[in-house]
mmCIF file of all heavy atoms in Angstrom:
data_model
loop_
_atom_site.group_PDB
_atom_site.id
_atom_site.type_symbol
_atom_site.label_atom_id
_atom_site.label_comp_id
_atom_site.label_asym_id
_atom_site.label_seq_id
_atom_site.Cartn_x
_atom_site.Cartn_y
_atom_site.Cartn_z
ATOM 1 N N LEU U 28 148.346 -74.842 -92.902
ATOM 2 C CA LEU U 28 147.537 -73.835 -92.219
ATOM 3 C C LEU U 28 148.133 -72.441 -92.379
ATOM 4 O O LEU U 28 149.299 -72.291 -92.711
ATOM 5 C CB LEU U 28 147.471 -74.147 -90.712
ATOM 6 C CG LEU U 28 146.813 -75.452 -90.284
ATOM 7 C CD1 LEU U 28 147.000 -75.669 -88.792
ATOM 8 C CD2 LEU U 28 145.339 -75.459 -90.659
ATOM 9 N N ALA U 32 143.614 -69.748 -90.221
ATOM 10 C CA ALA U 32 143.061 -71.108 -90.165
ATOM 11 C C ALA U 32 143.317 -71.732 -88.795
ATOM 12 O O ALA U 32 142.448 -72.419 -88.238
ATOM 13 C CB ALA U 32 143.652 -71.968 -91.273
ATOM 14 N N TRP U 33 144.507 -71.484 -88.235
ATOM 15 C CA TRP U 33 144.818 -71.991 -86.891
ATOM 16 C C TRP U 33 143.866 -71.367 -85.863
ATOM 17 O O TRP U 33 143.379 -72.053 -84.955
ATOM 18 C CB TRP U 33 146.279 -71.673 -86.555
ATOM 19 C CG TRP U 33 146.643 -71.965 -85.143
ATOM 20 C CD1 TRP U 33 146.853 -73.191 -84.582
ATOM 21 C CD2 TRP U 33 146.823 -71.011 -84.104
ATOM 22 N NE1 TRP U 33 147.156 -73.050 -83.247
ATOM 23 C CE2 TRP U 33 147.146 -71.712 -82.929
ATOM 24 C CE3 TRP U 33 146.746 -69.625 -84.043
ATOM 25 C CZ2 TRP U 33 147.390 -71.076 -81.722
ATOM 26 C CZ3 TRP U 33 146.996 -68.996 -82.846
ATOM 27 C CH2 TRP U 33 147.305 -69.725 -81.702
ATOM 28 N N GLN U 34 143.553 -70.081 -86.013
ATOM 29 C CA GLN U 34 142.620 -69.429 -85.106
ATOM 30 C C GLN U 34 141.226 -70.047 -85.230
ATOM 31 O O GLN U 34 140.525 -70.223 -84.221
ATOM 32 C CB GLN U 34 142.590 -67.925 -85.372
ATOM 33 C CG GLN U 34 143.879 -67.233 -84.965
ATOM 34 C CD GLN U 34 143.991 -65.810 -85.484
ATOM 35 O OE1 GLN U 34 143.466 -65.459 -86.535
ATOM 36 N NE2 GLN U 34 144.720 -64.977 -84.744
ATOM 37 N N VAL U 35 140.816 -70.392 -86.448
ATOM 38 C CA VAL U 35 139.529 -71.072 -86.636
ATOM 39 C C VAL U 35 139.535 -72.393 -85.875
ATOM 40 O O VAL U 35 138.570 -72.723 -85.171
ATOM 41 C CB VAL U 35 139.227 -71.296 -88.132
ATOM 42 C CG1 VAL U 35 138.043 -72.246 -88.326
ATOM 43 C CG2 VAL U 35 138.969 -69.961 -88.839
ATOM 44 N N LEU U 36 140.615 -73.146 -86.001
ATOM 45 C CA LEU U 36 140.706 -74.422 -85.281
ATOM 46 C C LEU U 36 140.582 -74.220 -83.778
ATOM 47 O O LEU U 36 139.963 -75.042 -83.083
ATOM 48 C CB LEU U 36 142.018 -75.132 -85.611
ATOM 49 C CG LEU U 36 142.139 -75.691 -87.024
ATOM 50 C CD1 LEU U 36 143.540 -76.212 -87.268
ATOM 51 C CD2 LEU U 36 141.096 -76.776 -87.276
ATOM 52 N N ASN U 37 141.147 -73.147 -83.267
ATOM 53 C CA ASN U 37 141.046 -72.879 -81.830
ATOM 54 C C ASN U 37 139.615 -72.584 -81.408
ATOM 55 O O ASN U 37 139.190 -72.997 -80.323
ATOM 56 C CB ASN U 37 141.979 -71.737 -81.435
ATOM 57 C CG ASN U 37 143.403 -72.207 -81.334
ATOM 58 O OD1 ASN U 37 143.698 -73.150 -80.627
ATOM 59 N ND2 ASN U 37 144.282 -71.558 -82.057
ATOM 60 N N VAL U 38 138.876 -71.869 -82.237
ATOM 61 C CA VAL U 38 137.461 -71.606 -81.927
ATOM 62 C C VAL U 38 136.696 -72.924 -81.891
ATOM 63 O O VAL U 38 135.921 -73.185 -80.963
ATOM 64 C CB VAL U 38 136.836 -70.629 -82.951
ATOM 65 C CG1 VAL U 38 135.322 -70.524 -82.746
ATOM 66 C CG2 VAL U 38 137.493 -69.255 -82.858
ATOM 67 N N VAL U 39 136.922 -73.765 -82.881
ATOM 68 C CA VAL U 39 136.237 -75.061 -82.937
ATOM 69 C C VAL U 39 136.640 -75.926 -81.742
ATOM 70 O O VAL U 39 135.785 -76.533 -81.089
ATOM 71 C CB VAL U 39 136.532 -75.780 -84.270
ATOM 72 C CG1 VAL U 39 135.917 -77.172 -84.290
ATOM 73 C CG2 VAL U 39 136.034 -74.947 -85.455
ATOM 74 N N HIS U 40 137.922 -75.945 -81.434
ATOM 75 C CA HIS U 40 138.434 -76.750 -80.316
ATOM 76 C C HIS U 40 137.871 -76.284 -78.966
ATOM 77 O O HIS U 40 137.644 -77.107 -78.072
ATOM 78 C CB HIS U 40 139.962 -76.684 -80.304
ATOM 79 C CG HIS U 40 140.596 -77.511 -79.250
ATOM 80 N ND1 HIS U 40 140.588 -78.890 -79.277
ATOM 81 C CD2 HIS U 40 141.265 -77.161 -78.121
ATOM 82 C CE1 HIS U 40 141.217 -79.348 -78.220
ATOM 83 N NE2 HIS U 40 141.641 -78.323 -77.501
ATOM 84 N N ALA U 41 137.635 -74.997 -78.820
ATOM 85 C CA ALA U 41 137.153 -74.443 -77.543
ATOM 86 C C ALA U 41 135.659 -74.653 -77.330
ATOM 87 O O ALA U 41 135.142 -74.349 -76.247
ATOM 88 C CB ALA U 41 137.477 -72.952 -77.476
ATOM 89 N N THR U 42 134.969 -75.178 -78.311
ATOM 90 C CA THR U 42 133.534 -75.411 -78.184
ATOM 91 C C THR U 42 133.283 -76.492 -77.141
ATOM 92 O O THR U 42 133.973 -77.520 -77.133
ATOM 93 C CB THR U 42 132.951 -75.838 -79.545
ATOM 94 O OG1 THR U 42 133.278 -74.838 -80.501
ATOM 95 C CG2 THR U 42 131.442 -75.985 -79.477
ATOM 96 N N THR U 46 128.742 -80.143 -78.262
ATOM 97 C CA THR U 46 128.202 -79.107 -79.144
ATOM 98 C C THR U 46 129.185 -78.900 -80.298
ATOM 99 O O THR U 46 130.283 -79.435 -80.278
ATOM 100 C CB THR U 46 128.006 -77.767 -78.395
ATOM 101 O OG1 THR U 46 129.287 -77.291 -77.962
ATOM 102 C CG2 THR U 46 127.098 -77.925 -77.187
ATOM 103 N N HIS U 47 128.760 -78.130 -81.266
ATOM 104 C CA HIS U 47 129.619 -77.843 -82.410
ATOM 105 C C HIS U 47 129.684 -76.343 -82.613
ATOM 106 O O HIS U 47 128.695 -75.635 -82.426
ATOM 107 C CB HIS U 47 129.072 -78.512 -83.676
ATOM 108 C CG HIS U 47 128.974 -79.992 -83.560
ATOM 109 N ND1 HIS U 47 127.765 -80.649 -83.572
ATOM 110 C CD2 HIS U 47 129.920 -80.940 -83.404
ATOM 111 C CE1 HIS U 47 127.976 -81.941 -83.439
ATOM 112 N NE2 HIS U 47 129.285 -82.142 -83.336
ATOM 113 N N ALA U 48 130.850 -75.870 -83.011
ATOM 114 C CA ALA U 48 131.006 -74.447 -83.337
ATOM 115 C C ALA U 48 130.183 -74.150 -84.588
ATOM 116 O O ALA U 48 130.011 -75.003 -85.457
ATOM 117 C CB ALA U 48 132.475 -74.127 -83.593
ATOM 118 N N VAL U 73 140.451 -75.553 -93.379
ATOM 119 C CA VAL U 73 140.416 -76.594 -92.339
ATOM 120 C C VAL U 73 139.464 -77.729 -92.713
ATOM 121 O O VAL U 73 139.668 -78.867 -92.284
ATOM 122 C CB VAL U 73 140.116 -76.017 -90.931
ATOM 123 C CG1 VAL U 73 141.203 -75.027 -90.527
ATOM 124 C CG2 VAL U 73 138.741 -75.390 -90.828
ATOM 125 N N LEU U 74 138.464 -77.429 -93.528
ATOM 126 C CA LEU U 74 137.570 -78.492 -94.006
ATOM 127 C C LEU U 74 138.275 -79.364 -95.043
ATOM 128 O O LEU U 74 138.295 -80.596 -94.916
ATOM 129 C CB LEU U 74 136.296 -77.894 -94.607
ATOM 130 C CG LEU U 74 135.246 -77.406 -93.617
ATOM 131 C CD1 LEU U 74 134.226 -76.518 -94.310
ATOM 132 C CD2 LEU U 74 134.558 -78.589 -92.940
ATOM 133 N N GLY U 77 141.004 -81.723 -93.849
ATOM 134 C CA GLY U 77 140.628 -82.839 -92.984
ATOM 135 C C GLY U 77 140.730 -82.537 -91.494
ATOM 136 O O GLY U 77 140.618 -83.436 -90.670
ATOM 137 N N TRP U 78 140.931 -81.273 -91.150
ATOM 138 C CA TRP U 78 141.002 -80.882 -89.741
ATOM 139 C C TRP U 78 139.617 -80.894 -89.102
ATOM 140 O O TRP U 78 139.478 -81.231 -87.929
ATOM 141 C CB TRP U 78 141.582 -79.480 -89.613
ATOM 142 C CG TRP U 78 142.997 -79.336 -90.051
ATOM 143 C CD1 TRP U 78 143.448 -79.105 -91.330
ATOM 144 C CD2 TRP U 78 144.156 -79.410 -89.237
ATOM 145 N NE1 TRP U 78 144.809 -79.027 -91.338
ATOM 146 C CE2 TRP U 78 145.276 -79.208 -90.066
ATOM 147 C CE3 TRP U 78 144.357 -79.618 -87.874
ATOM 148 C CZ2 TRP U 78 146.579 -79.209 -89.585
ATOM 149 C CZ3 TRP U 78 145.651 -79.613 -87.392
ATOM 150 C CH2 TRP U 78 146.750 -79.415 -88.233
ATOM 151 N N THR U 79 138.632 -80.459 -89.869
ATOM 152 C CA THR U 79 137.272 -80.357 -89.365
ATOM 153 C C THR U 79 136.313 -81.025 -90.337
ATOM 154 O O THR U 79 136.663 -81.354 -91.469
ATOM 155 C CB THR U 79 136.828 -78.884 -89.191
ATOM 156 O OG1 THR U 79 136.879 -78.225 -90.467
ATOM 157 C CG2 THR U 79 137.688 -78.149 -88.175
ATOM 158 N N THR U 80 135.109 -81.180 -89.865
ATOM 159 C CA THR U 80 134.023 -81.700 -90.675
ATOM 160 C C THR U 80 132.782 -80.859 -90.381
ATOM 161 O O THR U 80 132.766 -80.089 -89.418
ATOM 162 C CB THR U 80 133.771 -83.193 -90.359
ATOM 163 O OG1 THR U 80 132.820 -83.712 -91.282
ATOM 164 C CG2 THR U 80 133.291 -83.405 -88.941
ATOM 165 N N ARG U 81 131.766 -81.028 -91.195
ATOM 166 C CA ARG U 81 130.489 -80.353 -90.970
ATOM 167 C C ARG U 81 129.468 -81.406 -90.519
ATOM 168 O O ARG U 81 128.892 -82.101 -91.351
ATOM 169 C CB ARG U 81 130.017 -79.659 -92.241
ATOM 170 C CG ARG U 81 130.808 -78.410 -92.557
ATOM 171 C CD ARG U 81 129.881 -77.363 -93.140
ATOM 172 N NE ARG U 81 130.575 -76.153 -93.501
ATOM 173 C CZ ARG U 81 130.706 -75.099 -92.708
ATOM 174 N NH1 ARG U 81 130.194 -75.126 -91.491
ATOM 175 N NH2 ARG U 81 131.327 -74.013 -93.106
ATOM 176 N N PRO U 82 129.244 -81.518 -89.211
ATOM 177 C CA PRO U 82 128.260 -82.491 -88.733
ATOM 178 C C PRO U 82 126.827 -82.068 -89.072
ATOM 179 O O PRO U 82 125.917 -82.894 -89.069
ATOM 180 C CB PRO U 82 128.486 -82.525 -87.220
ATOM 181 C CG PRO U 82 129.144 -81.229 -86.907
ATOM 182 C CD PRO U 82 129.916 -80.826 -88.114
ATOM 183 N N ARG U 86 127.839 -75.806 -89.221
ATOM 184 C CA ARG U 86 128.497 -76.217 -87.976
ATOM 185 C C ARG U 86 129.824 -76.891 -88.285
ATOM 186 O O ARG U 86 129.988 -77.521 -89.315
ATOM 187 C CB ARG U 86 127.600 -77.154 -87.173
ATOM 188 C CG ARG U 86 126.313 -76.474 -86.752
ATOM 189 C CD ARG U 86 125.600 -77.243 -85.662
ATOM 190 N NE ARG U 86 124.465 -76.494 -85.168
ATOM 191 C CZ ARG U 86 124.520 -75.582 -84.217
ATOM 192 N NH1 ARG U 86 125.656 -75.299 -83.634
ATOM 193 N NH2 ARG U 86 123.433 -74.957 -83.819
ATOM 194 N N LEU U 87 130.767 -76.747 -87.348
ATOM 195 C CA LEU U 87 132.105 -77.312 -87.505
ATOM 196 C C LEU U 87 132.478 -78.141 -86.296
ATOM 197 O O LEU U 87 132.163 -77.770 -85.160
ATOM 198 C CB LEU U 87 133.138 -76.188 -87.650
ATOM 199 C CG LEU U 87 133.051 -75.330 -88.904
ATOM 200 C CD1 LEU U 87 133.831 -74.046 -88.723
ATOM 201 C CD2 LEU U 87 133.574 -76.118 -90.093
ATOM 202 N N ALA U 88 133.159 -79.241 -86.541
ATOM 203 C CA ALA U 88 133.683 -80.081 -85.463
ATOM 204 C C ALA U 88 135.052 -80.586 -85.894
ATOM 205 O O ALA U 88 135.284 -80.849 -87.083
ATOM 206 C CB ALA U 88 132.753 -81.263 -85.203
ATOM 207 N N LEU U 89 135.958 -80.703 -84.947
ATOM 208 C CA LEU U 89 137.268 -81.283 -85.242
ATOM 209 C C LEU U 89 137.111 -82.758 -85.559
ATOM 210 O O LEU U 89 136.318 -83.462 -84.915
ATOM 211 C CB LEU U 89 138.207 -81.139 -84.040
ATOM 212 C CG LEU U 89 138.850 -79.785 -83.814
ATOM 213 C CD1 LEU U 89 139.618 -79.786 -82.494
ATOM 214 C CD2 LEU U 89 139.769 -79.418 -84.961
ATOM 215 N N THR U 90 137.869 -83.222 -86.525
ATOM 216 C CA THR U 90 137.941 -84.664 -86.772
ATOM 217 C C THR U 90 138.919 -85.247 -85.757
ATOM 218 O O THR U 90 139.682 -84.514 -85.123
ATOM 219 C CB THR U 90 138.450 -84.949 -88.203
ATOM 220 O OG1 THR U 90 139.778 -84.437 -88.315
ATOM 221 C CG2 THR U 90 137.542 -84.340 -89.259
ATOM 222 N N ALA U 91 138.918 -86.562 -85.618
ATOM 223 C CA ALA U 91 139.880 -87.204 -84.712
ATOM 224 C C ALA U 91 141.301 -86.897 -85.180
ATOM 225 O O ALA U 91 142.191 -86.597 -84.371
ATOM 226 C CB ALA U 91 139.626 -88.704 -84.648
ATOM 227 N N ASP U 92 141.516 -86.939 -86.484
ATOM 228 C CA ASP U 92 142.831 -86.624 -87.030
ATOM 229 C C ASP U 92 143.170 -85.152 -86.797
ATOM 230 O O ASP U 92 144.305 -84.816 -86.478
ATOM 231 C CB ASP U 92 142.882 -86.953 -88.524
ATOM 232 C CG ASP U 92 144.264 -86.786 -89.105
ATOM 233 O OD1 ASP U 92 145.229 -87.332 -88.524
ATOM 234 O OD2 ASP U 92 144.383 -86.109 -90.137
ATOM 235 N N GLY U 93 142.179 -84.291 -86.947
ATOM 236 C CA GLY U 93 142.393 -82.864 -86.694
ATOM 237 C C GLY U 93 142.777 -82.603 -85.254
ATOM 238 O O GLY U 93 143.664 -81.788 -84.971
ATOM 239 N N GLU U 94 142.139 -83.290 -84.352
ATOM 240 C CA GLU U 94 142.454 -83.164 -82.920
ATOM 241 C C GLU U 94 143.903 -83.582 -82.655
ATOM 242 O O GLU U 94 144.648 -82.893 -81.959
ATOM 243 C CB GLU U 94 141.495 -84.043 -82.109
ATOM 244 C CG GLU U 94 141.580 -83.861 -80.624
ATOM 245 C CD GLU U 94 140.753 -82.709 -80.109
ATOM 246 O OE1 GLU U 94 139.610 -82.537 -80.549
ATOM 247 O OE2 GLU U 94 141.267 -81.983 -79.230
ATOM 248 N N ARG U 95 144.298 -84.679 -83.246
ATOM 249 C CA ARG U 95 145.669 -85.187 -83.062
ATOM 250 C C ARG U 95 146.687 -84.222 -83.666
ATOM 251 O O ARG U 95 147.680 -83.878 -83.031
ATOM 252 C CB ARG U 95 145.795 -86.563 -83.715
ATOM 253 C CG ARG U 95 147.168 -87.197 -83.578
ATOM 254 C CD ARG U 95 147.324 -88.477 -84.397
ATOM 255 N NE ARG U 95 147.035 -88.313 -85.819
ATOM 256 C CZ ARG U 95 147.842 -87.705 -86.700
ATOM 257 N NH1 ARG U 95 148.987 -87.184 -86.303
ATOM 258 N NH2 ARG U 95 147.510 -87.608 -87.972
ATOM 259 N N ARG U 96 146.416 -83.757 -84.876
ATOM 260 C CA ARG U 96 147.357 -82.843 -85.539
ATOM 261 C C ARG U 96 147.412 -81.498 -84.830
ATOM 262 O O ARG U 96 148.469 -80.864 -84.778
ATOM 263 C CB ARG U 96 146.979 -82.661 -87.009
ATOM 264 C CG ARG U 96 147.235 -83.922 -87.824
ATOM 265 C CD ARG U 96 147.091 -83.676 -89.307
ATOM 266 N NE ARG U 96 145.700 -83.421 -89.674
ATOM 267 C CZ ARG U 96 145.327 -82.781 -90.778
ATOM 268 N NH1 ARG U 96 146.229 -82.311 -91.626
ATOM 269 N NH2 ARG U 96 144.057 -82.609 -91.046
ATOM 270 N N LEU U 97 146.297 -81.068 -84.269
ATOM 271 C CA LEU U 97 146.283 -79.786 -83.559
ATOM 272 C C LEU U 97 147.213 -79.830 -82.353
ATOM 273 O O LEU U 97 147.872 -78.838 -82.029
ATOM 274 C CB LEU U 97 144.856 -79.420 -83.127
ATOM 275 C CG LEU U 97 144.657 -78.042 -82.519
ATOM 276 C CD1 LEU U 97 145.137 -76.937 -83.466
ATOM 277 C CD2 LEU U 97 143.192 -77.833 -82.159
ATOM 278 N N ALA U 98 147.333 -80.975 -81.704
ATOM 279 C CA ALA U 98 148.265 -81.106 -80.577
ATOM 280 C C ALA U 98 149.705 -80.885 -81.048
ATOM 281 O O ALA U 98 150.497 -80.243 -80.345
ATOM 282 C CB ALA U 98 148.107 -82.477 -79.926
ATOM 283 N N GLU U 101 150.224 -77.191 -81.609
ATOM 284 C CA GLU U 101 150.340 -76.468 -80.337
ATOM 285 C C GLU U 101 151.776 -76.457 -79.821
ATOM 286 O O GLU U 101 152.213 -75.471 -79.229
ATOM 287 C CB GLU U 101 149.390 -77.044 -79.288
ATOM 288 C CG GLU U 101 147.938 -76.695 -79.524
ATOM 289 C CD GLU U 101 147.693 -75.192 -79.586
ATOM 290 O OE1 GLU U 101 148.237 -74.438 -78.763
ATOM 291 O OE2 GLU U 101 146.950 -74.765 -80.486
#
Side-chain angles (χ1 to χ4, degrees):
L28 297 173
W33 172 75
Q34 291 168 330
V35 168
L36 290 173
N37 282 306
V38 172
V39 175
H40 183 69
T42 304
T46 63
H47 300 114
V73 299
L74 282 165
W78 295 86
T79 61
T80 187
R81 286 217 182 267
R86 298 195 173 274
L87 294 163
L89 282 174
T90 63
D92 186 50
E94 188 84 43
R95 181 188 56 75
R96 290 190 291 158
L97 187 57
E101 286 303 317

